[in-house]
Amino acid sequence: MKLVISSILVGSAASFTPSSFINGGVSHKVASATSSSTSLDMKYKVAVVGGGPSGACAAEIFAKEKNVDTVLFERKMDNAKPCGGAIPLCMIGEFDIPETTVDRKVRRMKLISPSNVEVDIGDTLQPNEYIGMCRREVMDKFLRDRAISYGAEPIQGLVTKIDVPEDHKSNPESRYTIYYQEYLEGNSAGVPKEMDVDLIIGADGANSRVAKAMDAGEYNFAIAFQERIKISEEKMAFYEEMAEMYVGDDVSPDFYGWVFPKYDHVGVGTGTVVNRPAIKQYQKAIRDRAGDKIAGGKIIKVEAHPIPEHYRPRRVQGRMALVGDAAGYVTKCSGEGIYFAAKSGRMAAEAIVKLMDGGKRLPTQAEIERTYIADYDRAYGPTYTVLDILQKVFYSNNGAREAFVELCNSKYVQQVTFDSYLYKKVQGNNPLDDIKLLGETIGCLIKGYAIAKPDAEFSNPVESQKRL
């Protein structure tokens, strides 16, 4: 939902065949783990680090290419990643996700201003349209299991270090060495292991080990905090198809607070970039704002995680490529990342598999950049730009937030917003309605600034300089 209101061998030493450059790519193969070094069945090794939507979707594509060995690393196979859990309607069909993974179908929303003015949203939705609310432990498992069913080898392990040869961009014999702790069933202590691979997909989140190994550069980040709260069946009935978003400097100075329905509970949370030390203060405020609707509820889980605020400076280095949160694919204003994680994982893998030409060669950095990176930016760059602008305009102070809520009364704004979110294409381009909207925006801003209370002041000069 998080767009809603704005618009990764097991194997020991392997033998090499003579190397050459083919069509600009690197050509050399290593023996499959199940083959002898004299076997003609020689395959490249691809390691996908991270088993969330981006890693699982990448691993699925690689696993379908039977001339490539694919390994999927996930530190905790039953991990429940902290996340609001909203996915757009287009993701259900595009990624063949069964509706059983969707806990709730949200068709109504309430947007609540700093002064508690409420705007009801959802009249423009068609009967078959909805925002899917899911638990990440359910959806991620489905996507991982599907990749494994196609032949990806799962390893429950924590990647601790990656050796990147200095000549990995130019030397066809260079391979990456992954060091990891494998966690076997019934044993809480990890077993140290290592393996050599030919190509790495970094799908390991905001604190990406792959990004650090490849010197991808830093990015600014938000902290998202969420409590899963079990409320009574009567109170849960209110959230059957309803989600709430609260704006105001009390719940976040640069984001929003939310109450999202789950299977048998609600996710209540908030986030911030500019004042991360005060996240628990903002969390208390969102609970207070929700008030009687969640009163008496029991907190069953507390979750927090970083959210990247922009792309990594470098998303490809040699034969290492980043996807999902590791690459920085989370939108401003909304904080949405699930769809873009899955899509980037799939796009990266599809581009690389095509470049590998049936497992005959390895792609170069330049080739990956010309395909995966260029295609992704062309498709979704406008979305990131629009939402960046919206955040700067409407999340900067209480006056702008009041104006934002009032604007959302417009059926045109609701239609454009939902269509852009549900189908992942920037909508609009009705000149007359756009001109009218501009006038309404100016009017709402003037009114909002007139009635809004001043934002509370804060200062955190040290924390604000931290980067991941």
Side-chain angles (χ1 to χ4, degrees), residues 344-382:
S344 64
R346 174 178 283 186
M347 289 181 70
E350 287 177 339
I352 292 171
V353 166
K354 185 176 181 179
L355 290 168
M356 292 180 75
D357 189 21
K360 299 185 184 77
R361 63 190 292 272
L362 287 170
T364 65
Q365 176 176 327
E367 288 176 324
I368 299 173
E369 291 173 336
R370 286 199 304 265
T371 53
Y372 156 51
I373 296 296
D375 291 346
Y376 186 88
D377 290 351
R378 187 181 306 112
Y380 301 110

Side-chain angles (χ1 to χ4, degrees), residues 218-222 273 276-277 310 460-468:
E218 299 177 330
Y219 49 33
N220 200 4
F221 65 100
V273 177
R276 296 187 291 258
H310 53 80
N460 50 22
V462 176
E463 172 64 26
S464 64
Q465 298 303 311
K466 290 184 179 179
R467 298 293 184 267
L468 293 178

Side-chain angles (χ1 to χ4, degrees), residues 54 202-208 211 214 216-219 308-316 321-330 340-341 344-345 372-373 376-377 384:
S54 60
D204 47 343
N207 289 301
S208 172
M214 63 184 269
E218 299 177 330
Y219 49 33
E309 277 292 289
H310 53 80
Y311 290 0
R312 293 272 187 190
R314 294 170 291 280
R315 289 170 282 165
V316 180
L322 301 177
V323 295
D325 284 16
Y329 296 150
V330 177
F340 297 107
S344 64
Y372 156 51
I373 296 296
Y376 186 88
D377 290 351
Y384 289 95

Side-chain angles (χ1 to χ4, degrees), residues 175 198 259 287 295 391 438:
R175 306 187 74 206
D198 298 291
V259 182
R287 288 199 308 266
Q391 176 162 323
L438 176 60

Side-chain angles (χ1 to χ4, degrees), residues 393-406:
V393 173
F394 291 113
Y395 284 7
S396 57
N397 56 70
N398 283 332
R401 297 180 191 108
E402 293 283 359
F404 176 54
V405 174
E406 184 174 354

